[in-house]
Amino acid sequence: MVRLRGDFFLAIARLGGFLGRKSDGLPGWQTLWRGWLRLQDMCWAADLITQSV
């Protein structure tokens, strides 16, 4: 289960601009926040599209 949580945070970080190179280390809170906001925008847009169909 821990692996899935780590994958989730890395996916969110990638949305926030995290490149995930060997020497990058772990993503920071700002990167995670940017990724989270981008995910929220994508969810909002998907909801908007499905409502208009």
Side-chain angles (χ1 to χ4, degrees):
M1 191 70 168
V2 175
R3 178 77 176 137
L4 295 176
R5 192 177 330 150
D7 290 343
F8 172 76
F9 281 114
L10 283 178
I12 296 294
R14 284 188 195 105
L15 288 174
F18 181 68
L19 298 176
R21 297 174 295 206
K22 242 187 212 185
S23 61
D24 282 346
L26 295 173
W29 287 109
Q30 288 181 340
T31 304
L32 289 169
W33 184 252
R34 287 184 198 122
W36 182 254
L37 291 178
R38 188 160 180 202
L39 178 64
Q40 293 295 313
D41 288 342
M42 289 190 287
C43 291
W44 176 78
D47 189 41
L48 188 65
I49 289 169
T50 56
Q51 286 180 2
S52 65
V53 170

